[in-house]
């Protein structure tokens, strides 16, 4: 206790490094006069600080703040805010945002910031506290003041203070993107100012990188990735240097530190496979290395390796075994991320998926729409049937359709349709919702949803909203036809043909678009779209392009596929003599072309076998 009080007393003497900005002489003298008349004696200062330091709940801190606020100086204010943040739990955030004492503390902090009285250490602590409290729009002006004030004096920060500040600003920025309209002028200013801050921040980090301890390193790389500014040349240099530094000192990092580093590299799309290989080798070298990871850290590690396409088999095997043991303690997000990672990495672990199928059902209401989509997509991609899970998930999704992002909604429907799960209620509700929201879909989303509804069409024959949905999908598809990939065009065409729906203009536009990307069609999709468009359009440019592409892909097509294409092209008046000769020279196949469904990438593109 004596040691604690001694540290408090030393802290209360206000001996810290120079402040970031120097107030004018007149304002300094006026403030000094006010302090001389208002500041209590040193014993009183120490007593107040001791009360703040000895508090062990946020309510205690705020109680003392309410009692002694008139006697607070800037050190007391920063300490009080930092202590409130330290003891606050997620449930506390609801009442903290409306607490008048906290608002008064924040107002005092803003006042001291504008008077130039907050030094680097206090700036770092304040930023950390505000980031942790997640105050949102309440603290926007204060956040801007801390960032801009810090920018003028970054060289004055110690390495640890600088790294903590960067982490906090990045954390606040990532939260603010949700709270603000990204197209608003205020948002654009914030993005520009944040970019300027991290540009200068990266220069300072480059100078002190050898001095950083493992925690600081993980904070820095996470901040650069979360800030969205990691694409600049300076940041790429830092990422490369950090990768080298981490590779040399992997055992010094905590599980959370390693997880943050992996996430940062994966999120920023900075490729460094050697770093991932080195970390994977370390994690599997001793069983105890990975056993220290929490369920969330296991999930995030698997996610990162899958994201950068480094499917380390031994690592994924160990993660699967540990995840099974910890499945009862895993939250919905952890389950979704782990399932997505194994599907993305094409690692089918039956026991793990079965365990998740069981443990997910009681948590189904806790899955966010995006997480629910990831979960179902993973099961469908790995061809893991889990009827009870899909029934529960489809019912949950039908209640939350309006909350789904377009990509998540299309992935959910695709997964259910692929495994042929009957979900009439979900498809009915979705059809009614999409009629007025199809314009929000991407070209890929239009194709995926069309494909999914076509797969379920027998159960939807008496749903009155289906014709309206098809009409809306057709209209928006024609508007966005130039954005469709080859396989999306094949899926879209197959879906509308199954419904026997679509105008001649619709199919003509599909044919023209297909001709421009004909080289991107897989062999099976080339044969399929030629067959599907045969009786629906006479767009000769498409058939000429299909003939040329068939010649190039002759060795990848089955005999049956070549015969189909040849028959269609001949019917449209094309000379197929060369194609016949190539077919005769082709070695006769006795095995049909493999039936396959490529895995969907929930972040970028999806490829599916039509029909």
């Amino acid at each position: 206790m004596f040691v604690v009080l001694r540290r408090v007393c030393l802290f209360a003497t206000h001996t810290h490094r120079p402040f970031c900005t120097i107030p004018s002489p007149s304002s300094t003298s006026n403030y000094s006069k006010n302090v001389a008349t208002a500041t209590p004696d040193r014993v009183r200062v120490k007593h107040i600080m001791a009360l703040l330091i000895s508090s062990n709940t946020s309510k205690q801190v705020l109680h003392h703040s309410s009692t002694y606020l008139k006697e607070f100086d800037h050190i007391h204010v920063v300490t009080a805010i930092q202590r409130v943040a330290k003891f606050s739990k997620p449930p506390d955030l609801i009442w903290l945002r409306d607490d008048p004492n906290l608002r008064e503390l924040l107002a005092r902090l803003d006042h001291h910031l504008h008077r130039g009285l907050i030094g680097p250490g206090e700036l770092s602590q304040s930023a950390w506290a505000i980031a942790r409290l997640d105050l949102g729009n309440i603290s926007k002006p204060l956040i801007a003041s801390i960032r801009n004030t810090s920018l003028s004096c970054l060289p004055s920060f110690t390495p640890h203070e600088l790294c903590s500040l960067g982490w906090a600003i990045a954390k606040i920025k990532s939260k603010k993107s949700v709270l603000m309209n990204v197209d608003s002028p205020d948002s654009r200013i914030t993005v520009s100012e944040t970019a300027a801050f991290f540009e200068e921040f990266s220069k300072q980090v480059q100078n002190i990188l050898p001095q950083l301890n493992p925690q600081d390193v993980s904070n820095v790389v996470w901040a650069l990735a979360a800030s969205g500014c990691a694409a600049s040349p300076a940041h790429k240099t830092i990422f490369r240097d950090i990768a080298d530094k981490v590779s040399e000192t992997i055992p010094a990092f905590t599980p959370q530190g390693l997880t943050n580093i992996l996430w940062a590299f994966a999120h920023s799309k900075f490729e460094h496979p050697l770093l991932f290989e080195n970390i994977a080798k370390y994690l599997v070298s001793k069983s105890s290395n990975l056993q220290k990871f929490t369920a969330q850290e296991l999930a995030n590690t698997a996610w990162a390796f899958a994201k950068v396409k480094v499917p380390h088999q031994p690592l994924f095997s160990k993660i699967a075994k540990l995840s099974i043991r910890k499945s009862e303690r895993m939250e919905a997000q952890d389950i979704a991320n782990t399932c997505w990672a194994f599907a993305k990495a094409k690692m089918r672990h039956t026991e793990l998926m079965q365990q998740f199928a069981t443990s997910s059902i009681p948590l189904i209401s806790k899955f966010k729409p995006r997480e629910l989509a990831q979960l179902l997509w993973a099961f469908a991609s790995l061809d893991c049937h889990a009827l009870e899970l899909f029934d529960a998930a489809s019912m949950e999704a039908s209640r939350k359709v309006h909350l789904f992002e377009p990509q998540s909604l299309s992935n959910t429907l695709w997964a259910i349709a692929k495994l042929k799960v009957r979900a009439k209620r979900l498809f009915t509700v979705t059809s009614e919702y999409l009629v007025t929201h199809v314009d929000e879909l991407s070209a890929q989303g239009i194709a995926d949803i069309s494909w999914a509804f076509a797969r379920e069409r027998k159960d939807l024959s008496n749903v009155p909203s289906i014709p309206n949905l098809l009409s809306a999908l057709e209209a928006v598809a024609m508007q966005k036809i130039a954005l469709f990939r080859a396989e999306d065009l094949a899926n879209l065409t197959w879906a509308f043909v199954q419904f026997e729906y679509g105008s001649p203009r619709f199919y003509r536009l599909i044919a023209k678009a297909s001709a421009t990307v004909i080289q991107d069609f897989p062999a099976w999709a080339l044969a399929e779209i030629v067959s599907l468009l045969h009786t629906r359009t006479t767009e000769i440019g498409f058939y000429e392009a299909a003939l040329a592409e068939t010649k190039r892909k002759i060795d990848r097509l089955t005999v049956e596929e070549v015969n189909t294409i040849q028959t269609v092209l001949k019917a449209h008046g094309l000379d197929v003599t060369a194609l016949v000769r190539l077919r005769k020279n082709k070695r006769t196949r006795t095995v049909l072309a493999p039936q396959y469904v490529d895995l969907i990438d929930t972040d970028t593109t999806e490829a599916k076998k039509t029909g």
Side-chain angles (χ1 to χ4, degrees), residues 556-569:
R556 284 176 268 172
L557 292 161
T558 65
V559 173
E560 290 79 3
E561 288 167 344
V562 174
N563 287 339
T564 297
I565 294 173
Q566 177 186 318
T567 301
V568 172
L569 298 182

Side-chain angles (χ1 to χ4, degrees), residues 423-438:
K424 183 175 181 179
R425 174 175 171 75
L426 173 60
F427 277 84
T428 300
V429 173
T430 303
S431 65
E432 296 169 352
Y433 172 77
L434 282 176
V435 167
T436 56
H437 292 82
V438 290

Side-chain angles (χ1 to χ4, degrees), residues 393-402 404 425-427 429-430:
S394 64
M395 291 300 295
E396 183 67 19
S398 66
R399 291 190 286 267
K400 298 178 178 177
V401 164
H402 63 289
F404 276 74
R425 174 175 171 75
L426 173 60
F427 277 84
V429 173
T430 303

